[in-house]
Amino acid sequence: MPEHIRALVVVLVVSSLVWWMARPAIVQIIPAKTFSRWRTLWYVTTLAWFLGQSFWLYAIFMLVVLLVAGKREPYVLGLYLLLLMAAPPSELRIPGFGVIDHLFVLSHPRLLALALLLPCAWRLSSRASTVRLFSSPVDWMVVGYLLLNSALAFREGNFTNDTRAALMLWVDFFLPYYVASRSLQDREGFRHALVGLALAGALLAALAAVEVLRNWKLYEGATAALGLHTFGAYKMRGSFIRPSVTVVDSIALGYCIVVAAGCFLYLQRMVENRTKRWLGWLGLGVGVLMSLSRGPWVGGLLVIFMFMLTSARPIKRLFQSGVVAVVLGTGLLVSPIGQDVVNLLPYVGQEEQENVDYRADLLTVSIPVVERNLLFGSSDFIYAPELQVMKQGEGIIDIVNSYLAVALYAGMVGLFLFAGMFLFSLLGLRRCIRRARQAKDDDREILGRALFSSLVGVMFIIFTVSGVYIVPTMYFTLIGICSGYILWQQADDKAKRAGVKA
């Protein structure tokens, strides 16, 4: 039996267990019909990836399926977020003609954006009720950042390639942001979006555990069978394989599960059964742990800490969570894998301590390069003499810091716009949380706190990973959800003021 068929059997068995366990809790949040429809589409995507034999067949089949599903789906963003992590982001170039080498680069995430988000964005832009662009500081930061990077793409001097690179920025990042910020206009919309993320995270967590325990990357064989580029040899951390499932990199894997856990901070209050809530946390916690990545470990703890800190009684909440952390930590330490986990911790453990040193050295040697092209960076910064000492055994220089990568490529102007997307979102969320607390709207307050905490966790994790594959798509979508929450609160406040005046 081919490897990818054996992997498909494992994926179907493990995912079916997750879907079965999640159903009783999820149908308390979204309709059972929606749950069943999303589950079917996830299975269809998975089967198409493993059995397609050709990416062209996969793309054509999924394009038809997604276009039909998108027209019937009232909450497109939730479905998009669920399917975003259902297949790897391997790319295929669409051949060009004459002097044009290729017209476009197609991948699973890009296919979802074109088939699900683009029609939704068109419908939203045509509605009079849709909040117009540039209605918030976050809009200005996002559009400014993308416009700057679109202009900087033309520094390469190849008009065709540069135009294509600029176009893909808007497909990959603006569409998720716009649909997230404009389509979420009520509680149901936010619940569907967060359920999509939470389900995707739960599936990733279960499959990551299998990859670690079996030392087997489940999606590599299917990706190769489709004729696509796979993502290199197995990487180890200690005695464990570093899992990737569908998101290519173990840090990106942990990052996605941390975001899912942040969503579950809000969703858990709608799950009546306490055992099911704890099972949800157990699954997501194991997923973050199994990522074997220090950034997501710390980022996950930071999400929980910020959620407690933004509560009405932070001291009490922090004390309660501290007690739980001590109990769980003690249980982990006395477990058979306890010492292995300790060895993976930065500064405390002994495994791959050189990775921590590499990140510190990279920041130090990059400062002169940033200063040399202070305002708008440089497209060939990777060839700077200062950075050549950071070349790794594979012959590459890995810029494992999203903020640093932005500063090197787009300068301080780019970094200002990039950081502004996050900071203006946090400021807006903070104001909305206070207003919700004053109005005694517990549901809206907890939603705001969950989004605030998730965004802080993301801001930390991307300090430890470059903006590749699904990483920027996820934070642009999360910023869009946060912006949607802020706009929703502002619209309600205007409606209340208008009612009082009337």
Side-chain angles (χ1 to χ4, degrees), residues 13 33 45 82 88 104 146 216 225 260 304 327 334 347 359 398 400 416 423 468:
V13 170
K33 288 184 178 179
T45 304
L82 171 65
F104 198 68
L146 293 176
W216 183 18
I304 302 297
V327 172
V334 300
Y347 303 111
R359 284 173 164 80
D398 196 0
V400 284
F416 168 77
L423 295 177
V468 294

PDB file of all heavy atoms in Angstrom, residues 13 33 45 82 88 104 146 216 225 260 304 327 334 347 359 398 400 416 423 468:
ATOM      1  N   VAL A  13      -9.041   8.178  10.522  1.00  0.00           N
ATOM      2  CA  VAL A  13      -9.395   7.579  11.813  1.00  0.00           C
ATOM      3  C   VAL A  13      -9.254   8.610  12.936  1.00  0.00           C
ATOM      4  O   VAL A  13     -10.162   8.792  13.763  1.00  0.00           O
ATOM      5  CB  VAL A  13      -8.522   6.344  12.100  1.00  0.00           C
ATOM      6  CG1 VAL A  13      -8.723   5.874  13.544  1.00  0.00           C
ATOM      7  CG2 VAL A  13      -8.857   5.214  11.127  1.00  0.00           C
ATOM      8  N   LYS A  33     -26.652  21.434  11.608  1.00  0.00           N
ATOM      9  CA  LYS A  33     -26.537  21.333  10.154  1.00  0.00           C
ATOM     10  C   LYS A  33     -25.255  21.986   9.656  1.00  0.00           C
ATOM     11  O   LYS A  33     -24.606  21.471   8.740  1.00  0.00           O
ATOM     12  CB  LYS A  33     -27.760  21.984   9.484  1.00  0.00           C
ATOM     13  CG  LYS A  33     -29.047  21.189   9.637  1.00  0.00           C
ATOM     14  CD  LYS A  33     -30.181  21.846   8.871  1.00  0.00           C
ATOM     15  CE  LYS A  33     -31.461  21.021   8.983  1.00  0.00           C
ATOM     16  NZ  LYS A  33     -32.592  21.655   8.254  1.00  0.00           N
ATOM     17  N   THR A  45     -12.166  17.846   1.227  1.00  0.00           N
ATOM     18  CA  THR A  45     -10.863  18.464   0.981  1.00  0.00           C
ATOM     19  C   THR A  45      -9.734  17.482   1.251  1.00  0.00           C
ATOM     20  O   THR A  45      -8.779  17.365   0.462  1.00  0.00           O
ATOM     21  CB  THR A  45     -10.689  19.713   1.861  1.00  0.00           C
ATOM     22  OG1 THR A  45     -11.769  20.620   1.631  1.00  0.00           O
ATOM     23  CG2 THR A  45      -9.379  20.417   1.562  1.00  0.00           C
ATOM     24  N   LEU A  82     -11.641  26.959   8.865  1.00  0.00           N
ATOM     25  CA  LEU A  82     -11.569  25.512   9.074  1.00  0.00           C
ATOM     26  C   LEU A  82     -10.772  24.833   7.958  1.00  0.00           C
ATOM     27  O   LEU A  82      -9.873  24.026   8.223  1.00  0.00           O
ATOM     28  CB  LEU A  82     -12.978  24.932   9.137  1.00  0.00           C
ATOM     29  CG  LEU A  82     -13.079  23.400   9.135  1.00  0.00           C
ATOM     30  CD1 LEU A  82     -12.454  22.814  10.396  1.00  0.00           C
ATOM     31  CD2 LEU A  82     -14.524  22.958   8.993  1.00  0.00           C
ATOM     32  N   PRO A  88      -1.801  21.212   2.997  1.00  0.00           N
ATOM     33  CA  PRO A  88      -0.568  22.009   3.028  1.00  0.00           C
ATOM     34  C   PRO A  88      -0.588  23.147   2.005  1.00  0.00           C
ATOM     35  O   PRO A  88      -1.321  23.091   1.011  1.00  0.00           O
ATOM     36  CB  PRO A  88       0.521  20.980   2.678  1.00  0.00           C
ATOM     37  CG  PRO A  88      -0.074  19.656   3.006  1.00  0.00           C
ATOM     38  CD  PRO A  88      -1.542  19.798   2.703  1.00  0.00           C
ATOM     39  N   PHE A 104       0.737  32.851 -12.621  1.00  0.00           N
ATOM     40  CA  PHE A 104       0.260  32.934 -11.240  1.00  0.00           C
ATOM     41  C   PHE A 104       0.780  31.726 -10.478  1.00  0.00           C
ATOM     42  O   PHE A 104       1.165  30.715 -11.072  1.00  0.00           O
ATOM     43  CB  PHE A 104      -1.283  32.936 -11.229  1.00  0.00           C
ATOM     44  CG  PHE A 104      -1.901  33.423  -9.953  1.00  0.00           C
ATOM     45  CD1 PHE A 104      -1.788  34.746  -9.577  1.00  0.00           C
ATOM     46  CD2 PHE A 104      -2.600  32.555  -9.135  1.00  0.00           C
ATOM     47  CE1 PHE A 104      -2.372  35.204  -8.399  1.00  0.00           C
ATOM     48  CE2 PHE A 104      -3.191  33.002  -7.959  1.00  0.00           C
ATOM     49  CZ  PHE A 104      -3.065  34.339  -7.593  1.00  0.00           C
ATOM     50  N   LEU A 146       0.202  47.203   3.029  1.00  0.00           N
ATOM     51  CA  LEU A 146       0.130  46.441   1.779  1.00  0.00           C
ATOM     52  C   LEU A 146       0.481  47.313   0.572  1.00  0.00           C
ATOM     53  O   LEU A 146       1.147  46.845  -0.370  1.00  0.00           O
ATOM     54  CB  LEU A 146      -1.264  45.843   1.612  1.00  0.00           C
ATOM     55  CG  LEU A 146      -1.628  44.753   2.624  1.00  0.00           C
ATOM     56  CD1 LEU A 146      -3.072  44.294   2.444  1.00  0.00           C
ATOM     57  CD2 LEU A 146      -0.690  43.555   2.507  1.00  0.00           C
ATOM     58  N   TRP A 216       6.368  10.287  11.972  1.00  0.00           N
ATOM     59  CA  TRP A 216       5.861  10.149  10.601  1.00  0.00           C
ATOM     60  C   TRP A 216       5.101  11.405  10.217  1.00  0.00           C
ATOM     61  O   TRP A 216       4.106  11.762  10.845  1.00  0.00           O
ATOM     62  CB  TRP A 216       4.940   8.929  10.550  1.00  0.00           C
ATOM     63  CG  TRP A 216       4.377   8.595   9.213  1.00  0.00           C
ATOM     64  CD1 TRP A 216       4.826   9.007   7.987  1.00  0.00           C
ATOM     65  CD2 TRP A 216       3.222   7.782   8.956  1.00  0.00           C
ATOM     66  NE1 TRP A 216       4.045   8.489   6.990  1.00  0.00           N
ATOM     67  CE2 TRP A 216       3.056   7.720   7.542  1.00  0.00           C
ATOM     68  CE3 TRP A 216       2.341   7.072   9.773  1.00  0.00           C
ATOM     69  CZ2 TRP A 216       2.025   7.006   6.955  1.00  0.00           C
ATOM     70  CZ3 TRP A 216       1.317   6.355   9.187  1.00  0.00           C
ATOM     71  CH2 TRP A 216       1.167   6.319   7.793  1.00  0.00           C
ATOM     72  N   ALA A 225       2.752  12.975  -4.138  1.00  0.00           N
ATOM     73  CA  ALA A 225       1.921  12.287  -5.129  1.00  0.00           C
ATOM     74  C   ALA A 225       1.175  13.271  -6.022  1.00  0.00           C
ATOM     75  O   ALA A 225       0.853  12.964  -7.175  1.00  0.00           O
ATOM     76  CB  ALA A 225       0.931  11.365  -4.433  1.00  0.00           C
ATOM     77  N   ALA A 260      -6.126  29.008  18.166  1.00  0.00           N
ATOM     78  CA  ALA A 260      -7.340  28.226  18.405  1.00  0.00           C
ATOM     79  C   ALA A 260      -7.684  28.189  19.888  1.00  0.00           C
ATOM     80  O   ALA A 260      -8.858  28.288  20.271  1.00  0.00           O
ATOM     81  CB  ALA A 260      -7.158  26.807  17.868  1.00  0.00           C
ATOM     82  N   ILE A 304      -3.115  32.931  28.094  1.00  0.00           N
ATOM     83  CA  ILE A 304      -3.869  32.672  29.330  1.00  0.00           C
ATOM     84  C   ILE A 304      -3.646  33.798  30.343  1.00  0.00           C
ATOM     85  O   ILE A 304      -4.593  34.276  30.987  1.00  0.00           O
ATOM     86  CB  ILE A 304      -3.441  31.322  29.944  1.00  0.00           C
ATOM     87  CG1 ILE A 304      -3.672  30.176  28.944  1.00  0.00           C
ATOM     88  CG2 ILE A 304      -4.197  31.062  31.233  1.00  0.00           C
ATOM     89  CD1 ILE A 304      -5.099  29.961  28.553  1.00  0.00           C
ATOM     90  N   VAL A 327      -0.006  22.476  39.466  1.00  0.00           N
ATOM     91  CA  VAL A 327      -0.457  21.078  39.499  1.00  0.00           C
ATOM     92  C   VAL A 327      -0.126  20.371  38.182  1.00  0.00           C
ATOM     93  O   VAL A 327       0.425  19.264  38.165  1.00  0.00           O
ATOM     94  CB  VAL A 327      -1.974  21.009  39.788  1.00  0.00           C
ATOM     95  CG1 VAL A 327      -2.474  19.572  39.629  1.00  0.00           C
ATOM     96  CG2 VAL A 327      -2.264  21.522  41.193  1.00  0.00           C
ATOM     97  N   VAL A 334       6.767  14.632  36.573  1.00  0.00           N
ATOM     98  CA  VAL A 334       6.902  13.261  37.072  1.00  0.00           C
ATOM     99  C   VAL A 334       6.490  12.235  36.019  1.00  0.00           C
ATOM    100  O   VAL A 334       6.612  11.026  36.252  1.00  0.00           O
ATOM    101  CB  VAL A 334       6.056  13.050  38.346  1.00  0.00           C
ATOM    102  CG1 VAL A 334       6.502  13.990  39.445  1.00  0.00           C
ATOM    103  CG2 VAL A 334       4.558  13.227  38.054  1.00  0.00           C
ATOM    104  N   TYR A 347      17.178  28.208  27.921  1.00  0.00           N
ATOM    105  CA  TYR A 347      18.035  28.587  29.047  1.00  0.00           C
ATOM    106  C   TYR A 347      18.065  27.530  30.160  1.00  0.00           C
ATOM    107  O   TYR A 347      19.054  27.408  30.863  1.00  0.00           O
ATOM    108  CB  TYR A 347      17.616  29.946  29.646  1.00  0.00           C
ATOM    109  CG  TYR A 347      17.625  31.047  28.620  1.00  0.00           C
ATOM    110  CD1 TYR A 347      16.430  31.622  28.193  1.00  0.00           C
ATOM    111  CD2 TYR A 347      18.811  31.499  28.047  1.00  0.00           C
ATOM    112  CE1 TYR A 347      16.427  32.629  27.235  1.00  0.00           C
ATOM    113  CE2 TYR A 347      18.812  32.500  27.089  1.00  0.00           C
ATOM    114  CZ  TYR A 347      17.622  33.060  26.695  1.00  0.00           C
ATOM    115  OH  TYR A 347      17.624  34.043  25.748  1.00  0.00           O
ATOM    116  N   ARG A 359      19.041  33.371  17.442  1.00  0.00           N
ATOM    117  CA  ARG A 359      18.074  34.457  17.361  1.00  0.00           C
ATOM    118  C   ARG A 359      18.638  35.744  17.959  1.00  0.00           C
ATOM    119  O   ARG A 359      18.412  36.837  17.432  1.00  0.00           O
ATOM    120  CB  ARG A 359      16.782  34.060  18.074  1.00  0.00           C
ATOM    121  CG  ARG A 359      15.930  33.086  17.276  1.00  0.00           C
ATOM    122  CD  ARG A 359      14.743  32.570  18.082  1.00  0.00           C
ATOM    123  NE  ARG A 359      13.735  31.953  17.220  1.00  0.00           N
ATOM    124  CZ  ARG A 359      13.805  30.735  16.729  1.00  0.00           C
ATOM    125  NH1 ARG A 359      14.863  29.976  17.029  1.00  0.00           N
ATOM    126  NH2 ARG A 359      12.861  30.254  15.940  1.00  0.00           N
ATOM    127  N   ASP A 398      18.258  32.224   7.906  1.00  0.00           N
ATOM    128  CA  ASP A 398      16.850  32.175   8.305  1.00  0.00           C
ATOM    129  C   ASP A 398      16.523  33.373   9.190  1.00  0.00           C
ATOM    130  O   ASP A 398      17.005  33.476  10.325  1.00  0.00           O
ATOM    131  CB  ASP A 398      16.581  30.860   9.050  1.00  0.00           C
ATOM    132  CG  ASP A 398      15.100  30.555   9.157  1.00  0.00           C
ATOM    133  OD1 ASP A 398      14.298  31.369   8.660  1.00  0.00           O
ATOM    134  OD2 ASP A 398      14.743  29.518   9.742  1.00  0.00           O
ATOM    135  N   VAL A 400      14.416  34.462  11.434  1.00  0.00           N
ATOM    136  CA  VAL A 400      13.381  33.892  12.298  1.00  0.00           C
ATOM    137  C   VAL A 400      12.807  34.955  13.246  1.00  0.00           C
ATOM    138  O   VAL A 400      12.756  34.775  14.464  1.00  0.00           O
ATOM    139  CB  VAL A 400      13.921  32.684  13.082  1.00  0.00           C
ATOM    140  CG1 VAL A 400      14.032  31.467  12.199  1.00  0.00           C
ATOM    141  CG2 VAL A 400      15.284  33.010  13.709  1.00  0.00           C
ATOM    142  N   PHE A 416       6.661  50.557  11.157  1.00  0.00           N
ATOM    143  CA  PHE A 416       5.654  51.387  11.816  1.00  0.00           C
ATOM    144  C   PHE A 416       4.238  50.956  11.420  1.00  0.00           C
ATOM    145  O   PHE A 416       3.359  50.809  12.269  1.00  0.00           O
ATOM    146  CB  PHE A 416       5.877  52.854  11.440  1.00  0.00           C
ATOM    147  CG  PHE A 416       4.738  53.758  11.830  1.00  0.00           C
ATOM    148  CD1 PHE A 416       4.562  54.171  13.145  1.00  0.00           C
ATOM    149  CD2 PHE A 416       3.815  54.195  10.871  1.00  0.00           C
ATOM    150  CE1 PHE A 416       3.500  54.993  13.502  1.00  0.00           C
ATOM    151  CE2 PHE A 416       2.760  55.014  11.218  1.00  0.00           C
ATOM    152  CZ  PHE A 416       2.599  55.412  12.538  1.00  0.00           C
ATOM    153  N   LEU A 423      -1.062  47.308  17.227  1.00  0.00           N
ATOM    154  CA  LEU A 423      -1.240  48.220  18.360  1.00  0.00           C
ATOM    155  C   LEU A 423      -2.589  48.932  18.320  1.00  0.00           C
ATOM    156  O   LEU A 423      -3.262  49.064  19.351  1.00  0.00           O
ATOM    157  CB  LEU A 423      -0.097  49.238  18.391  1.00  0.00           C
ATOM    158  CG  LEU A 423       1.288  48.635  18.660  1.00  0.00           C
ATOM    159  CD1 LEU A 423       2.361  49.709  18.600  1.00  0.00           C
ATOM    160  CD2 LEU A 423       1.321  47.909  19.993  1.00  0.00           C
ATOM    161  N   VAL A 468       6.209  33.341   6.903  1.00  0.00           N
ATOM    162  CA  VAL A 468       6.100  32.452   5.751  1.00  0.00           C
ATOM    163  C   VAL A 468       4.864  31.574   5.868  1.00  0.00           C
ATOM    164  O   VAL A 468       4.316  31.373   6.949  1.00  0.00           O
ATOM    165  CB  VAL A 468       7.351  31.555   5.615  1.00  0.00           C
ATOM    166  CG1 VAL A 468       8.578  32.387   5.296  1.00  0.00           C
ATOM    167  CG2 VAL A 468       7.586  30.741   6.885  1.00  0.00           C
TER     168      VAL A 468
END
